[in-house]
Amino acid sequence: MNLASPFSLSVIAITALAFLGLPIGHAMIAGSILYLLLAGLDMGTVAEQLLNGMYANYIILAVPLFVLAAELMNIGSMTERLLRFCNAIVGRFRGGLAFVNIVQAIIFAGMSGSAIADAAGPGKLMQKMMTKDGKYPPSYAAALSAATAVIGPIIPPSIPMVVYALVSDASIGYLFLGGVVPGLLMASGQMIIVAYHARVRGFPVEPPTPLRQMPRITWQALPSLMMPVVLLGGIYSGATTPTEAAAVAGAYALLVSVVFYRSVSLADFYRSVLVSARTSASIGMLIGGALVFNYVVTVENIPQSVSTLLQHWQLSPIGFLILVNILLLLLGCVLEGTTILLVIVPVLIPTARALGIDLVHFGVVVVVNIMLGLVTPPYGLLLFIMTRIAEVPFKELVRNVLPFLWAMIASLALITFFPGLVLWLPRLLGYQG
């Protein structure tokens, strides 16, 4: 590649601006403007791409709505009641609170679609519960909370899958279905690790919940437990689109918190809307920057060039998926997941399509891979969040998270080599891909 070409200078500018601390979305817009200037193209194309991309894609609206739904769950008492329910089910086993951490992640995965929201809400509460009275080492509790939060965006709903659908035109509904088995596989792997650690490290056994209290605990948690049913039932019954379902999820979370649990004040609601708006704005700017830069990539014919190069290598579909996994695992160590989805993945999709790889299978593999980046050092955003929440040394947190990371990589390998694990549930409900 010619380092003096407009595209090369554009990439160098984006990298330099990001390194200097400019948000990556702004850096991509600035680099794209530089490319259009050097290439002698109309710089007004930037505004055109932003407007067409952000306002013509109805699917993008699902992102802020899922973010709002997660925030509304965290400010109410939904989280506490669900954790009490999980503790009643699995808390009686050795290492019970660690198992509760995993089970709550599976349940909350059907509600928020955001790993960050799961770590900041239920993950923070589990950290306090596990370290109370010195039951678990703080670094271990933080590592497990980070690992379980990864399940959130894999089991539906999933904000990263919404973003992937934006760049691939794959069905969101079938992508959501495809994430169910991989998410449960990851949770099962984490449970095996916890069971081993509980025996070797002598984790405590929690007092069992009396059976007579189970109906009351279940009844109190029932409105919260119904949220995934309302959300996913609306999508797969055809009553709502995924975007409309995200709006229903936010309304339902507010209804349960205000009417049933009566645990949300007007100030709490205002703060949750404010936090959701800020989060959505940062994601929206990143999406906008990626849409503009993807126009530059398209003008330069980069996806087709990469596809032609890989075809010359005569890779099999499995060989290509292995290469993609290695590439994304490495990129996940240093790049934020949404950036990878919006900038790198669109370049790989034409090759996947040419090799006959199902785009739903490819999307789930990509999302699982990118989620692993959240707990992969040195970047690992969830690692930084839990380090701050738990106030533990980063080195100790990484050491404790590695066994869970290897278990999740094993799950990734399984869904890579056996597409049926991803596609059997979508095909059960009529997917023809």
Side-chain angles (χ1 to χ4, degrees):
M1 181 182 294
N2 183 5
L3 293 179
S5 69
F7 182 74
S8 298
L9 293 174
S10 171
V11 172
I12 292 171
I14 292 171
T15 304
L17 290 172
F19 182 77
L20 291 173
L22 191 69
I24 186 66
H26 295 76
M28 284 191 288
I29 292 175
S32 301
I33 292 174
L34 176 63
Y35 170 85
L36 295 173
L37 176 65
L38 295 177
L41 300 175
D42 183 9
M43 287 187 290
T45 305
V46 170
E48 179 185 351
Q49 291 297 314
L50 279 172
L51 291 173
N52 290 339
M54 298 298 288
Y55 293 102
N57 284 296
Y58 179 65
I59 189 177
I60 295 178
L61 189 58
V63 174
L65 292 172
F66 278 131
V67 171
L68 178 60
E71 286 298 326
L72 291 173
M73 283 189 296
N74 287 337
I75 64 171
S77 61
M78 296 177 71
T79 302
E80 291 89 341
R81 294 171 191 263
L82 283 172
L83 290 180
R84 199 177 303 132
F85 173 75
C86 295
N87 187 56
I89 296 175
V90 297
R92 64 186 70 239
F93 303 111
R94 180 168 294 280
L97 283 180
F99 285 112
V100 169
N101 202 333
I102 299 171
V103 173
Q104 65 82 20
I106 296 173
I107 295 176
F108 273 93
M111 301 181 187
S112 72
S114 167
I116 306 303
D118 289 351
K124 185 176 181 179
L125 286 175
M126 285 305 311
Q127 174 72 22
K128 292 180 179 179
M129 289 174 61
M130 292 180 68
T131 55
K132 185 178 180 181
D133 300 326
K135 293 178 179 178
Y136 294 81
S139 57
Y140 184 87
L144 180 59
S145 296
T148 57
V150 172
I151 298 173
I154 297 172
I155 295 178
S158 166
I159 291 175
M161 287 184 184
V162 172
V163 176
Y164 173 81
L166 173 68
V167 300
S168 69
D169 290 328
S171 164
I172 299 181
Y174 290 130
L175 281 167
F176 281 1
L177 283 174
V180 173
V181 172
L184 295 177
L185 276 175
M186 293 178 69
S188 300
Q190 291 174 2
M191 287 184 177
I192 293 172
I193 299 294
V194 164
Y196 172 76
H197 286 165
R199 180 184 293 263
V200 172
R201 303 173 70 167
F203 288 154
V205 179
E206 301 300 312
T209 301
L211 290 177
R212 66 178 180 275
Q213 294 183 15
M214 283 296 297
R216 178 178 59 84
I217 293 173
T218 303
W219 177 255
Q220 290 177 343
L222 186 61
S224 301
L225 291 170
M226 287 299 295
M227 186 169 174
V229 177
V230 171
L231 177 63
L232 301 178
I235 294 175
Y236 298 118
S237 67
T240 63
T241 65
T243 301
E244 292 166 346
V248 171
Y252 184 82
L254 182 61
L255 177 68
V256 169
S257 297
V258 173
V259 177
F260 285 91
Y261 297 152
R262 299 180 181 179
S263 57
V264 176
S265 66
L266 190 60
D268 291 332
F269 176 71
Y270 174 76
R271 279 194 296 270
S272 69
V273 172
L274 193 62
V275 170
S276 301
R278 288 172 177 168
T279 303
S280 301
S282 63
I283 295 174
M285 182 56 68
L286 185 56
I287 292 175
L291 289 172
V292 175
F293 184 67
N294 284 342
Y295 172 78
V296 173
V297 170
T298 302
V299 170
E300 285 289 311
N301 211 26
I302 300 298
Q304 288 71 23
S305 300
V306 172
S307 179
T308 302
L309 176 63
L310 293 176
Q311 286 176 11
H312 282 317
W313 291 359
Q314 297 182 338
L315 291 172
S316 66
I318 289 295
F320 173 72
L321 287 174
I322 292 173
L323 180 64
V324 168
N325 278 335
I326 294 172
L327 174 65
L328 295 186
L329 281 172
L330 293 174
L331 289 175
C333 295
V334 293
L335 289 179
E336 196 269 334
T338 307
T339 305
I340 298 173
L341 272 172
L342 291 169
V343 178
I344 307 299
V345 173
V347 176
L348 301 173
I349 287 175
T351 304
R353 188 181 286 114
L355 290 172
I357 297 172
D358 184 272
L359 288 187
V360 169
H361 175 229
F362 184 67
V364 173
V365 169
V366 164
V367 168
V368 170
N369 209 316
I370 289 173
M371 290 305 100
L372 295 186
L374 293 174
V375 289
T376 303
Y379 184 78
L381 184 58
L382 285 176
L383 298 179
F384 291 119
I385 290 175
M386 292 312 302
T387 297
R388 186 167 63 250
I389 289 174
E391 297 181 351
V392 296
F394 184 77
K395 184 178 179 180
E396 287 187 21
L397 179 62
V398 170
R399 180 171 56 83
N400 281 281
V401 86
L402 285 179
F404 299 105
L405 180 59
W406 285 115
M408 291 186 284
I409 290 175
S411 300
L412 173 62
L414 281 174
I415 65 170
T416 299
F417 287 103
F418 301 100
L421 292 172
V422 172
L423 297 175
W424 79 269
L425 192 53
R427 285 171 178 165
L428 190 65
L429 295 186
Y431 180 59
Q432 301 297 321

